[in-house]
Amino acid sequence: MHPVDTIKTQVQASTLSLFEIISMVPQIGARGLYKGSIPAILGQLSGHALRTGIFEASKLVLLHGSPTKLPEIQVNSILSLCSTILGTVTRIPSEVLKQRLQAGLYDSLGEALVGTWRQDGLGGFFRGTGATLCREVPFYVAGMGLYDESKKAVQRLIQRELEPWEAVVVGAIAGGLAGVTTTPFDVIKTRMMTTQGQSVSTAVVALSILRQEGPLALYKGAVPRFFWIAPLGAINLAGYELARKALDSLSGKQMSQKKATGSE
């Protein structure tokens, strides 16, 4: 899905419309559409691994080790908040490099590393951290809550457990909608990360966009963001849950087999 993200980034970083950027795809070419894929992969691996690990470990402690029984949606929301903050901060440098490559500011990862260091220093690799957190925290907290509640609502409607493919569809829609609602902060983040030289605050960038381009500019790239985020929602929310259930089921079967073997 990286080419879709590249198109989204180019729409948000410029004054061009989605249709104008799409018309330029033949000139951008396959190589241009996959610019920034290396830092994107590295950032996702580190950030999501840390976020998921912290979330699951803390959830076990809170659900089974807490003296008071907490509602699961409350546990999910609190842990999504904490784990998302830590996971996001670790991948900000990769995100900065990815965005600058996608926007066409640099031609290679090495050039982006050297150029960012020379022009912006160490702080340049963490530019847009505030805007990114304002995007990521509501996205994961809202996305997790929306997925859980949507899944329960559909199960009540059809009066049965969801099939795996149905859970994946619900996860995709929940993730896509959460992505669209957080688009304004995604636009601000893109503008901050693709601006070289003196750093400006989140509020200044937001006001500048509102004054010069109007409120709708804060939703630039919402359509490609939906289609980019929907598969992520399916994998992150539904796919992960289904994989975990399969592992728990396998573990339970292995334990049963061991007990049966021991009793024999």
Side-chain angles (χ1 to χ4, degrees), residues 43-66:
Q44 296 293 345
L45 282 172
S46 60
H48 284 298
L50 183 61
R51 185 183 67 81
T52 305
I54 292 171
F55 179 83
E56 282 301 316
S58 304
K59 186 175 180 178
L60 284 172
V61 172
L62 278 181
L63 287 178
H64 302 293
S66 177

Side-chain angles (χ1 to χ4, degrees), residues 3 6-12 14-28 33 220:
T6 299
I7 291 171
K8 175 195 73 74
T9 299
Q10 294 205 3
V11 170
Q12 292 178 341
S14 69
T15 55
L16 299 176
S17 69
L18 174 60
F19 297 108
E20 288 171 324
I21 294 293
I22 289 175
S23 68
M24 294 166 58
V25 166
Q27 295 147 310
I28 296 170
L33 289 173
K220 290 189 75 173

Side-chain angles (χ1 to χ4, degrees), residues 46-48 50-51 54 82-92:
S46 60
H48 284 298
L50 183 61
R51 185 183 67 81
I54 292 171
C82 299
S83 59
T84 297
I85 290 173
L86 291 171
T88 299
V89 171
T90 61
R91 68 182 178 87
I92 289 291

Side-chain angles (χ1 to χ4, degrees), residues 69-242:
K69 179 69 175 175
L70 296 172
E72 190 169 355
I73 188 170
Q74 186 178 334
V75 171
N76 284 341
S77 297
I78 293 170
L79 296 182
S80 289
L81 171 67
C82 299
S83 59
T84 297
I85 290 173
L86 291 171
T88 299
V89 171
T90 61
R91 68 182 178 87
I92 289 291
S94 297
E95 186 73 13
V96 171
L97 295 172
K98 175 185 79 77
Q99 295 264 277
R100 293 188 171 194
L101 286 164
Q102 287 178 318
L105 299 179
Y106 299 105
D107 290 325
S108 67
L109 179 57
E111 188 181 322
L113 278 165
V114 174
T116 299
W117 177 264
R118 284 179 177 172
Q119 291 198 336
D120 305 318
L122 181 62
F125 291 99
F126 290 91
R127 184 167 291 182
T129 299
T132 306
L133 287 172
C134 288
R135 180 198 70 173
E136 294 289 281
V137 171
F139 170 75
Y140 282 108
V141 173
M144 185 69 73
L146 185 60
Y147 171 67
D148 284 338
E149 294 307 306
S150 299
K151 188 178 63 173
K152 290 173 186 175
V154 174
Q155 286 176 165
R156 284 195 298 269
L157 183 65
I158 62 177
Q159 296 182 344
R160 61 173 172 80
E161 287 286 318
L162 294 181
E163 294 290 333
W165 71 268
E166 292 170 329
V168 167
V169 171
V170 172
I173 294 172
L177 290 176
V180 170
T181 59
T182 54
T183 296
F185 286 109
D186 191 50
V187 173
I188 294 167
K189 177 208 69 125
T190 298
R191 294 289 177 93
M192 293 179 75
M193 288 184 174
T194 55
T195 300
Q196 297 170 297
Q198 187 176 359
S199 177
V200 288
S201 68
T202 303
V204 169
V205 173
L207 288 172
S208 175
I209 293 171
L210 287 170
R211 286 172 182 167
Q212 295 177 22
E213 302 171 55
L216 286 179
L218 289 173
Y219 282 90
K220 290 189 75 173
V223 174
R225 180 165 166 77
F226 176 88
F227 287 105
W228 176 61
I229 291 290
L232 176 65
I235 296 168
N236 242 8
L237 302 174
Y240 174 69
E241 183 189 35
L242 292 170

